[in-house]
Amino acid sequence: MMRTPFASCKPPKTAGREFRSTIRFRFAPFMLISLFIGGVVYDPVSSQTISRPHAGFQDLSPREQAELLLFRKKYEEAIQSFNRILEEEAGDSYAFRGLVKAYEGSGRLQDARGNIEPFLSINPENSAPLYGIGYAVYLQNRHSEAEEYFKKALQVDPENSLALNNWGAILASRKDYRAAVEKVKRAISANPMEPMFYQNLNSIYSEMGEQGTFIAEYRENIENGAEEQTRGYGLILAKALRQEGFRLYQRGNVKGTIKKFVEMIDIYRQIKHTPGVLQGLFSLGLLMEEDGNLSAAKEDRKSTRLNSSHTDISRMP
């Protein structure tokens, strides 16, 4: 049986279902470098969008351009870009979600519904605009109304993963946790490549006091050979270990931080996430050096150099 070492992997507490770290760090060399190489640089609306940080803006696809404008907080331009996508391509639920997020960022969330309704009137059997209206009212905390739109979206398309996920969030806010888990798991089945769904599932289990269930399901997916789900669960667990390591480091517990980073690297190896392994080894080398273990630090840096060409990480020591 494959070893899956980690302790508690609680997600950070947040007001909603989309988390952002709020930890304050002391700025030692390890922290500064690790934040740069391990932090999230780009959080696109769609997990299927490929971020190309070195490409010029005009070289990006229309969807990538819209999401980059949203990320840069150029909300009015993002609204225009998402509208063009919806007019020219009919659009999916992710495009409507991006449009709503742009309206929210601009301070005009109340106008989003009026923008989406014409798309629905043209094609009333389209699940995507139904989801878009539901998401707009969901962000206005009108959960009962949003739930009805999510149900309608799912009547048209039972595989609308975003509608399932947001419906799950509403159920969790009512502490109807079992039903919430069922909806989010359906979202994962429909789109196993979306990290947000796994993060939400982990948060629900945490609220239930059942953090171990998420870990058990990770192991179960490993045993079943479900690679996409294993990767989704593993990325969330590794992120939690990284954040826990940062908290320990902030308290001056370097040895505890090293332990969490070793566990994190093990998970990255299990899910064959090469960038995570390489970044983790580099950070681990800095930690070992700070802890006075120069020989181990040297070995970690050697492993990083030898495997920087993204070779088979399962053979790494």
Side-chain angles (χ1 to χ4, degrees):
M1 182 173 177
M2 185 174 291
R3 184 169 62 97
T4 54
F6 34 74
S8 172
C9 290
K10 297 181 181 179
K13 294 181 179 180
T14 63
R17 299 265 161 209
E18 297 173 348
F19 322 127
R20 294 293 182 270
S21 175
T22 57
I23 304 169
R24 294 182 180 178
F25 305 116
R26 60 190 176 100
F27 294 105
F30 157 70
M31 298 302 298
L32 285 170
I33 297 174
S34 295
L35 283 169
F36 279 116
I37 67 173
V40 176
V41 177
Y42 182 36
D43 181 20
V45 171
S46 169
S47 64
Q48 300 176 20
T49 297
I50 299 174
S51 178
R52 292 178 284 161
H54 300 296
F57 186 79
Q58 297 303 321
D59 297 326
L60 301 176
S61 70
R63 178 69 64 92
E64 289 172 327
Q65 289 181 4
E67 292 182 354
L68 187 57
L69 289 168
L70 179 60
F71 175 74
R72 291 176 173 174
K73 300 183 179 181
K74 296 183 177 181
Y75 298 120
E76 295 299 333
E77 294 178 59
I79 289 171
Q80 295 175 17
S81 292
F82 280 114
N83 269 322
R84 281 195 296 271
I85 292 169
L86 293 169
E87 290 167 0
E88 296 172 5
E89 304 175 11
D92 58 12
S93 292
Y94 275 99
F96 281 102
R97 181 177 185 270
L99 178 66
V100 172
K101 294 291 286 184
Y103 269 109
E104 181 187 34
S106 71
R108 298 195 293 123
L109 182 58
Q110 71 279 2
D111 296 334
R113 180 171 183 165
N115 191 338
I116 298 171
E117 284 178 338
F119 292 105
L120 182 61
S121 64
I122 294 171
N123 188 356
E125 295 303 312
N126 188 342
S127 177
L130 286 166
Y131 166 75
I133 294 174
Y135 187 56
V137 296
Y138 168 80
L139 291 180
Q140 294 173 298
N141 293 316
R142 292 152 54 188
H143 287 180
S144 295
E145 185 178 358
E147 186 175 23
E148 291 306 310
Y149 274 100
F150 296 146
K151 289 179 181 178
K152 290 177 182 177
L154 289 163
Q155 287 173 358
V156 177
D157 177 12
E159 298 294 298
N160 189 322
S161 58
L162 288 174
L164 285 164
N165 179 67
N166 279 118
W167 189 4
I170 290 172
L171 292 167
S173 72
R174 297 173 183 159
K175 302 189 184 303
D176 189 356
Y177 294 124
R178 296 300 172 190
V181 166
E182 185 268 334
K183 296 295 182 295
V184 177
K185 282 191 171 182
R186 281 177 57 191
I188 289 172
S189 295
N191 182 8
M193 298 301 292
E194 175 54 73
M196 175 173 58
F197 301 159
Y198 298 93
Q199 188 164 306
N200 291 352
L201 181 62
N202 192 27
S203 178
I204 294 168
Y205 281 140
S206 180
E207 291 177 21
M208 295 169 68
E210 298 182 8
Q211 294 92 342
T213 302
F214 191 85
I215 296 170
E217 289 177 0
Y218 169 65
R219 291 172 174 154
E220 183 180 339
N221 278 286
I222 291 176
E223 292 174 359
N224 293 338
E227 292 186 4
E228 291 178 337
Q229 287 87 345
T230 297
R231 178 181 175 84
Y233 277 87
L235 287 173
I236 299 306
L237 290 170
K239 179 181 178 182
L241 285 165
R242 185 183 191 89
Q243 291 174 331
E244 193 170 346
F246 282 169
R247 285 191 287 269
L248 289 170
Y249 186 84
Q250 178 67 10
R251 297 173 194 152
N253 187 347
V254 176
K255 291 187 184 299
T257 305
I258 289 172
K259 182 177 182 294
K260 295 303 174 185
F261 269 65
V262 168
E263 293 173 357
M264 177 192 74
I265 292 167
D266 281 349
I267 290 178
Y268 280 140
R269 282 175 170 155
Q270 289 163 10
I271 66 176
K272 297 180 173 61
H273 184 56
T274 306
V277 173
L278 298 177
Q279 292 167 3
L281 284 171
F282 187 84
S283 298
L284 189 60
L286 294 174
L287 284 165
M288 293 288 192
E289 186 172 336
E290 185 172 342
D291 194 44
N293 194 340
L294 298 180
S295 60
K298 184 177 179 180
E299 284 301 311
D300 285 322
R301 289 180 179 176
K302 181 181 177 182
S303 295
T304 305
R305 288 195 302 271
L306 289 175
N307 293 279
S308 60
S309 59
H310 292 195
T311 55
D312 184 359
I313 60 174
S314 64
R315 299 181 181 179
M316 293 169 61

